[in-house]
Amino acid sequence: MEDVLNVSSKQAAAAPPADKDCPYTIELVTPEDADAVIAMLKKFFFKDEPLNTFLDLGECKELEKFSLKPIKDNCSYKAVNKNGEIIGVFLNGLMRRPAPSDVPEKAGDSCEHPKFKKILTLFDHLDTQFSIFDLYPNENLILDGKILSVDTNYRGLGIAGRLTQRAYEYMQENKINVYHVLCSSHFSARVMEKLGFHEVFNMKFSDYKPNGQVVFKPDLPHVAMRTMIKELQSPTKL
């Protein structure tokens, strides 16, 4: 899981320009894009994400590796300008229903970076508090939005909306009904709402006290981890 975004809610809601006038194309992210994707995230995403900022995370190879992990699922998309430069990405992964005998893997256990370990341990805790598959008992495969980021020099061009629309098309092509996004940022949650997502789970940072003390105190207005959902069909919910 990873937080989404550095696009404004106004940008997210903007209607995509007509193809003939569009100064960019939407394409699949491939492993060959890894260096360019990380370069963009370093410039426009990592430094602004509330948990990273609070911890003063700095350079973190573990974060970079974690961010690139979903590319192998072939459902991440990039916006590319006329010069071949990546100006936006939506990194997505696939969530598969675990078998009853599966032992949940704890991402924090194997992380050697002390600050990033705190973030992964928070994610591990969230997994014990809420499961999207419990909410959707008939769904075995769910699209998981990891990171949505747009070059701030290309605002107002509908990039976030078109990246998300391409993900919807992937869902339709693969008969996936539910799109899941975890947000640590108040602003990212607002953007997802503009894109048609709604909240199904919320955990305040002030309530996360693994050792009796609050671990994360990001600046306002970031007060909670929020799980956002978009349903393309009408799946059965509990």
Side-chain angles (χ1 to χ4, degrees), residues 169-180:
E169 293 169 4
Y170 173 88
M171 293 172 69
Q172 292 168 342
E173 293 162 2
N174 292 276
K175 297 181 172 58
I176 298 174
N177 296 321
V178 180
Y179 203 162
H180 165 280

Side-chain angles (χ1 to χ4, degrees), residues 94-98 130-142 238:
L94 295 172
M95 300 174 68
R96 295 175 173 85
R97 177 180 294 278
F130 174 78
S131 170
I132 192 64
F133 290 107
D134 289 343
L135 184 62
Y136 295 97
N138 296 326
E139 302 300 315
N140 293 315
L141 190 64
I142 289 174
L238 290 181

Side-chain angles (χ1 to χ4, degrees), residues 86-105:
I86 295 177
I87 58 174
V89 293
F90 204 159
L91 302 181
N92 301 290
L94 295 172
M95 300 174 68
R96 295 175 173 85
R97 177 180 294 278
S101 60
D102 287 351
V103 177
E105 179 184 349

